[in-house]
Amino acid sequence: MIEKDTQFPKNNGPLSGIRVLDLSRILAGPTCTQLMGDYGADIIKVEKPGLGDDTRAWGPPYVTGSDGMPTAESAYYLSSNRNKRSFAIDITTPEGAETVRKLAAQCDIMVENFKVGGLAKYGLDYDSIAAVNPAIIYCAISGFGQTGPNAHLLGYDLLAQAFGGIMSLTGAPDGEPMKVGVAVADVVCGLYACTAVLAALQHRNRTGDGQYIDIGLADTQVAWLINNGTNYLTSGQPPQRLGNAHPNIVPYQVFATIDGHIVVAAGNDTQYARFCEVIGRADLATHIDYLTNMNRVKNRNSLIPILTAEIAKLTKAELVAKMEQYGVPGGPINTLPEVFESEQVTARDMKISLPHATAKSGKIDLIGNPVKFSKTPVSYRYSPPTCGEHSAEITAELLTDIDDKLP
């Protein structure tokens, strides 16, 4: 586990020198800006004085303070707000809005996720910001995008999953539609937003032109329907819920062993044949009904019960070991304690620890960044800030003698 004891480790990230004004909250926008912060950008997070990001109240659990009581720092908030500096500003006042415009004039990127048109009344919409900084890249994240009949609706992850179809594909065949266990629509939207901003940054590097990015939570949800969405567009047949099975690959699902559950992911005919050897049923690899993946998908209802019965005779450890020996993709279904205690997660620095002033232990544990750059490594420079923690610092740095700093 990585532990960072210094507040300002060296920043050699690929976005070092880029400054981002972050007016987003909840998860999609903060995911986008945390990623840019991990890549080296200076993220100035604008928060409502006294309250801050909505997710600060989304608990328990909260960080345990020095008195043994919960602090105001929720685990949900911590998940997407490291490598940022918090500036408490009331944007609804003329003075607060003017402060944001002055900051925007000195930033490369601005990210917001207010309702459509919500910032215009404060003079913080794209046209107003571009007037003081024509080169800025302004990314507006909303529930349904800036246009269309649903543009006025608020957007939350659950609503996007419902609207965009993923819930109709998730869950047991005879059960109710099911959301994914984490706010994946928000997270993927944040990833799309980050890649869009980086693409716009490259365009600006070539031309000097800033631009406006309109990205909707529901749009990105539809985009990551991927093969299931294209299956429907190709066949005209809406896919049915398959639980943990796959619409296009068999066997590719969860199976029960004597003492637990495993996944089998035989992605081609060779891997399937090897798996048949693993379970002592080589005959199933040459059976005409199961010889090819096309036939296995067609005849899944007869094949899966056979595989289920054979797998139920083996222990989890025995089966996983044999699958690894035979080169068959699969493995155990880990609980979160098993995930974060695994040697693989440790080796890949996917659990990190950062200093935090409010924590009784003096530090907090977070999930690490998965990207491994060979020359411009990710750095963890700031713990998720308390609300307004850096207001004075940013004021002194960017708002003192502002007229002398602006172009």
Side-chain angles (χ1 to χ4, degrees), residues 95-224:
E95 297 78 14
E98 179 60 19
T99 297
V100 171
R101 284 189 290 273
K102 288 179 178 179
L103 290 171
Q106 301 176 79
C107 289
D108 301 280
I109 297 158
M110 179 169 164
V111 178
E112 59 93 351
N113 62 348
F114 284 74
K115 66 181 182 180
V116 173
L119 289 181
K121 58 186 175 183
Y122 308 123
L124 300 177
D125 56 309
Y126 172 67
D127 289 340
S128 299
I129 298 300
V132 298
N133 185 356
I136 201 165
I137 296 161
Y138 186 115
C139 181
I141 300 172
S142 59
F144 291 87
Q146 303 292 311
T147 60
N150 290 350
H152 66 287
L153 299 177
L154 297 176
Y156 284 92
D157 177 88
L158 180 61
L159 303 181
Q161 288 198 40
F163 178 88
I166 193 66
M167 290 179 66
S168 75
L169 307 175
T170 306
D174 57 351
E176 66 179 7
M178 188 69 63
K179 73 178 182 67
V180 180
V182 296
V184 66
D186 270 333
V187 171
V188 175
C189 183
L191 298 179
Y192 269 105
C194 185
T195 61
V197 167
L198 297 182
L201 190 61
Q202 172 63 8
H203 174 75
R204 195 188 72 176
N205 289 341
R206 291 200 322 264
T207 67
D209 294 335
Q211 63 179 298
Y212 179 73
I213 299 171
D214 165 13
I215 186 165
L217 199 63
D219 294 345
T220 58
Q221 166 62 88
V222 172
W224 63 265

Side-chain angles (χ1 to χ4, degrees), residues 16-168:
S16 176
I18 296 296
R19 184 178 293 131
V20 180
L21 187 59
D22 182 9
L23 269 69
S24 70
R25 62 264 194 246
I26 315 294
L27 190 56
T31 294
C32 168
T33 52
Q34 175 172 271
L35 190 52
M36 289 190 283
D38 284 356
Y39 292 165
D42 176 22
I43 312 296
I44 298 175
K45 182 178 179 70
V46 174
E47 298 193 78
K48 185 184 300 183
L51 295 174
D53 191 305
D54 298 35
T55 60
R56 289 184 182 276
W58 288 12
Y62 296 90
V63 172
T64 300
S66 58
D67 58 358
M69 299 299 292
T71 67
E73 309 303 305
S74 74
Y76 199 116
Y77 165 77
L78 299 178
S79 71
S80 59
N81 284 289
R82 70 166 166 258
N83 279 336
K84 302 178 184 181
R85 297 190 289 168
S86 175
F87 196 163
I89 304 173
D90 184 356
I91 68 169
T92 67
T93 67
E95 297 78 14
E98 179 60 19
T99 297
V100 171
R101 284 189 290 273
K102 288 179 178 179
L103 290 171
Q106 301 176 79
C107 289
D108 301 280
I109 297 158
M110 179 169 164
V111 178
E112 59 93 351
N113 62 348
F114 284 74
K115 66 181 182 180
V116 173
L119 289 181
K121 58 186 175 183
Y122 308 123
L124 300 177
D125 56 309
Y126 172 67
D127 289 340
S128 299
I129 298 300
V132 298
N133 185 356
I136 201 165
I137 296 161
Y138 186 115
C139 181
I141 300 172
S142 59
F144 291 87
Q146 303 292 311
T147 60
N150 290 350
H152 66 287
L153 299 177
L154 297 176
Y156 284 92
D157 177 88
L158 180 61
L159 303 181
Q161 288 198 40
F163 178 88
I166 193 66
M167 290 179 66
S168 75

